Amino acid sequence: FNALCFEDSSVFIDTSTFFNNPLNLNWDFGDGNTDSGDSVIHYYATSGTYDVTLKVTDDKGCIDSIEKSILISDLPTAGFLADSVCPGSLTSFTDYSTYNLNNISSWSWDFGDNAGVSTIQNPLYTYASAGNFDVLLEVTDIKGCKDTILKSVLVYQEPIALFDLNAICVKDSSAFIDTSTFFNNLISWDWNFGDGNTSSGDSVIHIYTTSGAFDVTLNITDDKGCIDSITKSIFIEDIPT
C-alpha cells in the first residue's frame, strides 16, 4: 500500500506467499467497496481509518486472509494573504494555510512573474513592474499530503509626474501646471522651485525675483502611496530695460 493522503490514488499490492497457484485475490477496502486482482487502485471518498482485508484463494481451494488498519490523512488547506503595493516596494505574503492532524512542513511559492520563487513560510517579494500576478502556493504536511492555491496579487501602477509652466520672465507670475498621468487618485503635489522656495497643490504660481537657471522639481503621491517625481531646468529671463 503506497498512499496515505485523501484524494490520492491508493495502490494496494499483493505480496502474499503461495505454494500453489493463486486463483482469487479479493479486496475489501473497509468503506463498502471491494475489488479483485493482485494489484488494485482505490480512491477513498473521505479521510479516516479503514480496515482493509485481503482474502486469497489458491487453486487447491486453500484460503488465507489478512486485515490491516490504514489511515487516510486529511489534506492541508493552502491559503495566504498578500499586500497590494507599488512597484519596487516589498509585497508581504502571509501564510494562512490550515491542517487537521499533520503539521505543514514545507511551503513552495511561485510569485507569478516568471522570476520569483521562495520556500519561506511568510516571504517578502519585490515586483519590478505593475500588474496582476497569479501567485501559486503549494503546502506539504509531514505525511507528504499536499494542497495548492492560486490567487491574483495586484501591484499598483505608479503615476507619471509631468508639468508645464507659462511664464519665464523675472518678477512675472510663473504658473506651474500639473499635467501628470495617474491611474489612482493623486493626493499630494510638492513643488521645489530651485530658488529655496516650495509650494504644494496641483497648479501653483511662483514669482522669481532674480533671473537665471533653476531646477524645478515636482513630487506627486497617489492614494495608494505610489510616488513619482520630475525635475525640469528652466531659465528665467531678465526684463528688458
Side-chain angles (χ1 to χ4, degrees):
F1 171 71
N2 68 350
L4 291 171
C5 302
F6 174 54
E7 294 183 349
D8 283 352
S9 56
S10 301
V11 180
F12 295 86
I13 302 171
D14 172 55
T15 58
S16 303
T17 300
F18 290 93
F19 302 96
N20 300 295
N21 294 325
L23 184 61
N24 294 311
L25 296 97
N26 297 310
W27 301 85
D28 185 327
F29 301 114
D31 63 351
N33 291 287
T34 59
D35 202 350
S36 61
D38 56 353
S39 296
V40 296
I41 295 175
H42 181 62
Y43 291 88
Y44 284 95
T46 59
S47 59
T49 301
Y50 298 92
D51 294 327
V52 179
T53 301
L54 169 62
K55 181 179 179 180
V56 296
T57 306
D58 66 18
D59 60 357
K60 303 301 184 185
C62 299
I63 299 172
D64 193 26
S65 65
I66 185 174
E67 181 178 280
K68 285 187 178 180
S69 184
I70 65 169
L71 173 64
I72 302 298
S73 296
D74 279 322
L75 301 180
T77 301
F80 69 89
L81 293 178
D83 298 331
S84 293
V85 300
C86 308
S89 298
L90 284 171
T91 299
S92 175
F93 293 88
T94 303
D95 171 51
Y96 276 95
S97 303
T98 59
Y99 59 90
N100 187 8
L101 295 175
N102 303 313
N103 293 338
I104 294 172
S105 58
S106 69
W107 298 259
S108 177
W109 299 84
D110 184 329
F111 298 119
D113 60 351
N114 297 317
V117 295
S118 179
T119 56
I120 298 172
Q121 181 178 5
N122 298 303
L124 300 172
Y125 187 67
T126 301
Y127 287 96
S129 60
N132 284 287
F133 298 92
D134 291 330
V135 177
L136 179 69
L137 169 62
E138 180 183 80
V139 294
T140 306
D141 68 20
I142 58 175
K143 295 294 187 181
C145 301
K146 303 175 185 290
D147 190 38
T148 60
I149 185 172
L150 184 71
K151 289 176 68 174
S152 181
V153 172
L154 173 63
V155 178
Y156 298 121
Q157 178 68 56
E158 59 211 327
I160 301 170
L162 293 168
F163 68 87
D164 290 329
L165 78 155
N166 66 357
I168 54 172
C169 294
V170 69
K171 295 184 179 178
D172 282 352
S173 295
S174 299
F176 294 85
I177 302 167
D178 171 55
T179 58
S180 300
T181 300
F182 54 91
F183 305 91
N184 301 293
N185 294 327
L186 294 180
I187 58 173
S188 71
W189 300 258
D190 296 309
W191 300 86
N192 186 319
F193 300 113
D195 63 351
N197 292 288
T198 60
S199 187
S200 61
D202 56 350
S203 296
V204 296
I205 292 174
H206 181 61
I207 298 173
Y208 286 94
T209 59
T210 59
S211 60
F214 299 92
D215 289 332
V216 180
T217 299
L218 169 63
N219 294 293
I220 58 173
T221 305
D222 68 20
D223 59 359
K224 305 302 183 185
C226 300
I227 62 175
D228 194 34
S229 67
I230 186 174
T231 299
K232 286 185 179 182
S233 292
I234 66 171
F235 192 83
I236 301 298
E237 302 282 353
D238 275 322
I239 297 175
T241 58

